[in-house]
Amino acid sequence: MQEQPFPKRTVLIIEENPDYCELFQEAIRQPDLTDETNIMPSMESAWMFLQAAQTSPHPRLPHLILLDLEPEHSRRFLRRFRADPGLASIPVAMLVSSDDPKDIHACHTSGANGYVVKPDTFDELAGLIADLCRHGLGPQQCFGASLSKGERTP
């Protein structure tokens, strides 16, 4: 019996650290991982990308946004993002350095749908990206929603 291919997803990664941008670039080079993955180096470049994607004749909005910005930038981005009716339903997961309850609470109160603990090695990062692209976030990473379907509940 032939295995069915997983549905491909469009993923947007917002990462301010240039070193991590390079690691993400390498991690997403896995064959057949996503339809499209975009890595934006700042909150403003991500916002311009999303606005252009919304207004293009063939919109290609992401199925999932992975956000790794300074805490204040993350909060500002999410406030602006959630206020836009054309974008608000897209799930956003924040990368955090640990699964410390304070970090997780900060993600939740910022308006993210969930969180992902930043991996320690490149192989773990590549595995994380593959899992996110194939399956979305797992239930243990979500704040009361199935992010693979793009739903959000507080």
Side-chain angles (χ1 to χ4, degrees), residues 44-129:
E44 284 307 315
S45 63
W47 188 253
M48 289 187 297
F49 171 82
L50 289 165
Q51 292 300 299
Q54 266 191 113
T55 59
S56 80
H58 306 286
R60 292 279 301 170
L61 291 171
H63 292 92
L64 175 68
I65 296 175
L66 191 57
L67 185 62
D68 190 14
L69 300 171
E70 294 297 321
E72 182 55 35
H73 292 171
S74 293
R75 285 188 290 275
R76 283 195 347 239
F77 176 83
L78 284 163
R79 272 194 308 268
R80 191 173 178 188
F81 183 81
R82 295 295 178 211
D84 186 316
L87 300 173
S89 66
I90 299 171
V92 177
M94 291 177 69
L95 274 170
V96 294
S97 56
S98 74
D99 58 0
D100 182 292
K102 290 178 191 174
D103 291 340
I104 307 313
H105 180 73
C107 292
H108 187 235
T109 59
S110 293
N113 298 87
Y115 71 97
V116 177
V117 177
K118 195 179 287 189
D120 294 325
T121 69
F122 176 77
D123 288 340
E124 290 172 350
L125 177 66
L128 170 70
I129 297 300

Side-chain angles (χ1 to χ4, degrees), residues 133-153:
C133 290
R134 291 181 177 128
H135 310 294
L137 289 178
Q140 72 280 7
Q141 299 163 315
C142 300
F143 301 127
S146 169
L147 294 189
S148 61
K149 295 181 181 165
E151 300 166 356
R152 183 174 190 278
T153 58

